[in-house]
Amino acid sequence: MRHIAIIGSGPAGYYTAEAAAKHWGDDVRVDVFDTLPVPYGLIRTGVAPDHQSIKGVSRRYEKTALTDNVRFVGNVTVGQDITIPELQELYDAVVLATGAPNDRELGMEGESLANVFGSAAFVGWYNGHPQFADLAPDLSGKHAVVIGMGNVALDVARILSKTETEFAGSDIVGHALGLLRASKLEKITILGRRGPHQVAMTPKELGELLHLERATPRVDTEDLPDEAEDAILEPGARKSVTHLRSFAAIPESVHADAKIEIYFDLYASPTAMQGDGKVATVEVERTTVEKGRAIGTGEMYSVPADLVVSCIGYRTSPIPDVPFDQRAGRFANDEGRILTGLYCVGWARRGPTGTIGTNRPDGYGMIEKIAEDADGGLLGSGRKAGREGFDALAAARNLDVVTFSDWKKIEEAEAAAARDGAPREKFVDIEAMIAARGS
């Protein structure tokens, strides 16, 4: 019998658990650990609340979680409640699937001013992550700046732009909906260091901006390359640029009628933020693109900013006793192998790249490596204590472990508390989550 511990219950974690169950069948026991009492990681707290179809992938993870040989172990913090060496003593393989939950810092003057947020914190706020539930951004100003050229920047801009009725059917949490309802924003500037051909925004997400009730997107025509140059792009990127061209063609009369303008300020590299205690402006340097890189031109200007959200990437959280690559912001690994019996997968392995689906081949590939190491004798005889050993340790330490059946009770309570038309009202407090399992 093989015993595998997976740290993290998001897409990478559950795809890896699924792969393990398929590879070893009844001859494996997989424990999926999470710091929170609730599963699904990025699906619950990272995917935009108005993208419910994407969140539907959790049904696949639930199918895996309900099998006899896979178990959810919630409300347990690895590195604090139990160490990595202790897990290695109990399990044949330990797989870190912790994602990249921390914001990458901009590293510029003014980053610590009030009302400046990283996207992990801001997205966590409107998605109900307990760590960020008390963020309370000030939306009373007229101007917001979103820094980044990816889908997360689009998510933030879209959420800031929507009316309350446009959130029907979403699971945006009540505290965020209340602040957004009272928002006074009139302009959202998306700053991108490079040009249209380098945007990482996908066509579907860009297209959504054309259907907002009170907001309209705008791109300056002078920021667009000759249309003939689009031919060199991959089809998806070409579609994205086509959307940007359509934004540039929107008549000024439409912009005049819109209550919120979403302005794509391209070839624009933020250099500093200014303000007296609270952010007021973002200083920007105009750029040009040479061989795909943004090069500063020396031309400087200021962008009004009552709110700033930085969407420039994420970093993995270090765990004691695990080698960490500080420069890359992920665990130090060789194609997923960290140390004998210790592995990483998903964003914890490769950094924050790819889609949710990218984690499936990553998880399956990692199980192939673990099986290879097991067959080669690197993981021992397969006689470790596994979950029985963990349960004994958890009892000795009085750990309050949340099971998947507990989670289902929490989920039922969230569904019962939902406002009309919403699938759930998430608990944003860990104690409330744990209390709900007994209701």
Side-chain angles (χ1 to χ4, degrees):
M1 178 69 68
R2 288 293 173 187
H3 297 279
I4 298 177
I6 298 174
I7 318 305
S9 67
Y14 268 116
Y15 281 127
T16 305
E18 175 186 284
K22 287 188 175 182
H23 184 90
W24 282 289
D26 292 335
D27 292 328
V28 71
R29 294 292 180 269
V30 182
D31 284 352
V32 181
F33 291 81
D34 203 293
T35 296
L36 292 178
V38 294
Y40 306 143
L42 179 70
I43 301 301
R44 180 177 170 93
T45 59
V47 173
D50 56 348
H51 283 174
Q52 288 298 303
S53 61
I54 297 175
K55 290 175 181 278
V57 73
S58 63
R59 290 189 290 271
R60 176 172 183 160
Y61 308 149
E62 179 173 309
K63 184 178 178 181
T64 298
L66 291 173
T67 59
D68 292 336
N69 51 354
V70 176
R71 182 177 72 160
F72 176 66
V73 184
N75 200 39
V76 174
T77 300
V78 173
Q80 179 178 314
D81 295 323
I82 186 170
T83 68
I84 289 293
E86 286 172 333
L87 286 172
Q88 288 182 285
E89 286 291 319
L90 296 171
Y91 296 87
D92 299 298
V94 177
V95 184
L96 304 178
T98 53
N102 302 315
D103 283 303
R104 180 181 158 204
E105 294 183 354
L106 284 163
M108 67 177 60
E109 178 189 348
E111 191 169 4
S112 61
L113 287 170
N115 233 32
V116 176
F117 306 100
S119 56
F122 197 79
V123 171
W125 165 71
Y126 62 64
N127 262 326
H129 193 297
Q131 183 180 351
F132 305 113
D134 296 331
L135 203 67
D138 182 358
L139 305 182
S140 64
K142 293 182 178 181
H143 299 94
V145 170
V146 179
I147 302 172
M149 298 181 72
N151 281 344
V152 176
L154 279 182
D155 284 345
V156 170
R158 189 182 66 256
I159 295 298
L160 286 172
S161 303
K162 281 196 165 186
T163 63
E164 183 173 4
T165 58
E166 286 178 290
F167 285 111
S170 79
D171 64 352
I172 189 167
V173 290
H175 66 244
L177 189 59
L179 283 183
L180 289 166
R181 185 188 300 122
S183 171
K184 302 299 183 183
L185 289 175
E186 296 179 0
K187 184 173 183 179
I188 300 167
T189 300
I190 299 177
L191 289 179
R193 294 173 59 246
R194 297 181 292 169
H197 282 188
Q198 290 79 39
V199 297
M201 300 163 175
T202 52
K204 179 181 181 297
E205 280 68 24
L206 279 167
E208 289 181 82
L209 299 187
L210 291 169
H211 304 288
L212 296 171
E213 290 181 7
R214 64 177 177 181
T216 184
R218 182 165 73 86
V219 172
D220 287 339
T221 55
E222 57 263 34
D223 283 344
L224 297 169
D226 291 336
E227 195 164 352
E229 296 179 23
D230 294 354
I232 65 172
L233 301 173
E234 294 294 326
R238 197 179 308 132
K239 281 186 177 181
S240 292
V241 176
T242 298
H243 277 305
L244 295 177
R245 293 186 185 282
S246 72
F247 299 165
I250 294 174
E252 283 300 319
S253 59
V254 175
H255 290 291
D257 292 338
K259 293 184 178 179
I260 297 178
E261 181 180 81
I262 303 172
Y263 174 52
F264 288 77
D265 192 358
L266 303 174
Y267 302 104
S269 179
T271 60
M273 299 179 208
Q274 304 292 340
D276 185 10
K278 179 182 175 184
V279 68
T281 61
V282 176
E283 305 304 310
V284 178
E285 181 178 15
R286 181 64 63 202
T287 67
T288 185
V289 174
E290 297 179 6
K291 296 180 180 180
R293 296 183 60 192
I295 307 297
T297 64
E299 178 188 347
M300 306 295 296
Y301 61 99
S302 297
V303 176
D306 302 299
L307 165 72
V308 175
V309 183
S310 171
C311 309
I312 62 167
Y314 304 104
R315 293 174 60 85
T316 296
S317 297
I319 297 177
D321 304 304
V322 181
F324 193 79
D325 185 338
Q326 290 288 350
R327 187 171 179 274
R330 54 176 169 75
F331 297 115
N333 71 92
D334 180 9
E335 296 184 347
R337 291 182 174 96
I338 302 175
L339 300 168
T340 301
L342 182 61
Y343 307 84
C344 57
V345 70
W347 283 8
R349 177 186 74 83
R350 66 182 189 270
T353 61
T355 65
I356 290 169
T358 307
N359 292 294
R360 184 184 183 278
D362 208 15
Y364 274 72
M366 189 50 54
I367 288 302
E368 290 178 5
K369 288 182 174 67
I370 293 172
E372 179 184 313
D373 290 350
D375 293 343
L378 295 177
L379 304 185
S381 61
R383 297 177 181 175
K384 290 191 175 183
R387 63 176 53 168
E388 289 185 5
F390 171 77
D391 288 347
L393 184 148
R397 295 181 181 175
N398 294 315
L399 300 183
D400 190 5
V401 175
V402 174
T403 67
F404 200 79
S405 62
D406 291 334
W407 149 244
K408 294 302 292 181
K409 293 176 182 178
I410 296 170
E411 185 179 40
E412 289 173 5
E414 290 185 338
R419 63 186 178 276
D420 289 346
R424 65 189 64 81
E425 180 61 44
K426 295 176 188 171
F427 290 108
V428 299
D429 177 78
I430 289 177
E431 290 184 2
M433 292 177 183
I434 294 173
R437 68 181 176 178
S439 61

